[in-house]
Amino acid sequence: MKTISKTILAAVIISPVLILLSTNPTNAVEPTGTGNSVRPAICTQIGVLKNNNQTSLEVQIANTKNNFTQRISQITANQSSVDKQLATSRATASTQFDARITELLAKNNLTTSQKQAITLYQTNMKKAEVDRQNAVDNARSVYRKALTDVISGQQQTLTSAIATYQKTVDDAFATSVNNCGDGTAMSTLNTAVKTARQTLADTKQSTKSADAIKQLA
């Protein structure tokens, strides 16, 4: 199980959820000047930033959803690979065991009782191996279900956080557009977007699944 867990964990760590927070839609410097002379420029600038932000946010959301899909696909592929390797290993071990039993039974001068003992040993060993394999398979299924739950919970939390971020930023731009004549419109917008971005970053950090997945192993 540790080998299987490490394989799946590696894929999860290699493909982290990508929430792009580097875009700063309000990083432009406020126009200089006084009174009504700068207000039209600020209004125009806020309108341009609003459109740019919407485009950037749509790309970020699309990338995040695509990453979710890739993440699950990678885990599924890893699990399938593990299952195939395990099936091959089990088949090889079974074949080798039967071959050794055949060699024992082919020895000269074996009594009927000895042959019966060898056959009984073969039967008991095969049953024990089936029981062991079933226990391993059940444990692996439990682990995979827990893994799916962890990742699903993380994705739901992040999806909700992104939606909240989007609404907060949209509301901030709407307010700034309506109040663009106010001399503090740009600084207020900057503050609102910065706070929303930090909240999203904090949520992303708190929902990292690596530690939770390690605890499942």
Side-chain angles (χ1 to χ4, degrees), residues 100-160:
R100 295 191 64 183
I101 293 297
T102 299
E103 289 177 3
L104 287 174
L105 291 173
K107 288 183 177 295
N108 296 327
N109 302 322
L110 288 178
T111 66
T112 300
S113 296
Q114 289 174 327
K115 290 182 179 181
Q116 290 175 343
I118 293 173
T119 301
L120 179 60
Y121 169 77
Q122 180 184 26
T123 300
N124 290 339
M125 286 298 294
K126 279 184 171 291
K127 181 180 183 305
E129 179 61 16
V130 169
D131 291 342
R132 186 191 70 81
Q133 290 177 1
N134 288 338
V136 171
D137 291 346
N138 289 335
R140 187 168 63 255
S141 295
V142 171
Y143 170 81
R144 289 178 176 179
K145 173 64 166 59
L147 175 65
T148 299
D149 289 345
V150 167
I151 295 177
S152 176
Q154 181 200 41
Q155 292 180 351
Q156 289 175 8
T157 298
L158 287 174
T159 298
S160 177

Side-chain angles (χ1 to χ4, degrees), residues 50-175:
K50 180 177 183 295
N51 292 334
N52 291 344
N53 173 76
Q54 184 62 38
T55 300
S56 175
L57 191 56
E58 289 174 355
V59 172
Q60 293 178 39
I61 292 174
N63 287 341
T64 299
K65 290 181 178 180
N66 182 58
N67 182 256
F68 285 166
T69 301
Q70 291 179 347
R71 218 175 160 199
I72 295 300
S73 296
Q74 184 61 56
I75 291 174
T76 300
N78 288 344
Q79 290 176 347
S80 178
S81 177
V82 167
D83 290 345
K84 290 179 180 178
Q85 293 176 18
L86 186 59
T88 299
S89 176
R90 287 175 175 178
T92 299
S94 179
T95 299
Q96 292 174 345
F97 176 72
D98 288 341
R100 295 191 64 183
I101 293 297
T102 299
E103 289 177 3
L104 287 174
L105 291 173
K107 288 183 177 295
N108 296 327
N109 302 322
L110 288 178
T111 66
T112 300
S113 296
Q114 289 174 327
K115 290 182 179 181
Q116 290 175 343
I118 293 173
T119 301
L120 179 60
Y121 169 77
Q122 180 184 26
T123 300
N124 290 339
M125 286 298 294
K126 279 184 171 291
K127 181 180 183 305
E129 179 61 16
V130 169
D131 291 342
R132 186 191 70 81
Q133 290 177 1
N134 288 338
V136 171
D137 291 346
N138 289 335
R140 187 168 63 255
S141 295
V142 171
Y143 170 81
R144 289 178 176 179
K145 173 64 166 59
L147 175 65
T148 299
D149 289 345
V150 167
I151 295 177
S152 176
Q154 181 200 41
Q155 292 180 351
Q156 289 175 8
T157 298
L158 287 174
T159 298
S160 177
I162 292 171
T164 299
Y165 170 79
Q166 183 177 19
K167 183 178 186 307
T168 301
V169 173
D170 286 346
D171 289 346
F173 271 106
T175 299

Side-chain angles (χ1 to χ4, degrees), residues 1-12 78-79 81-82:
M1 284 302 297
K2 290 185 179 296
T3 300
I4 295 172
S5 301
K6 289 179 180 178
T7 301
I8 296 174
L9 175 59
V12 176
N78 288 344
Q79 290 176 347
S81 177
V82 167

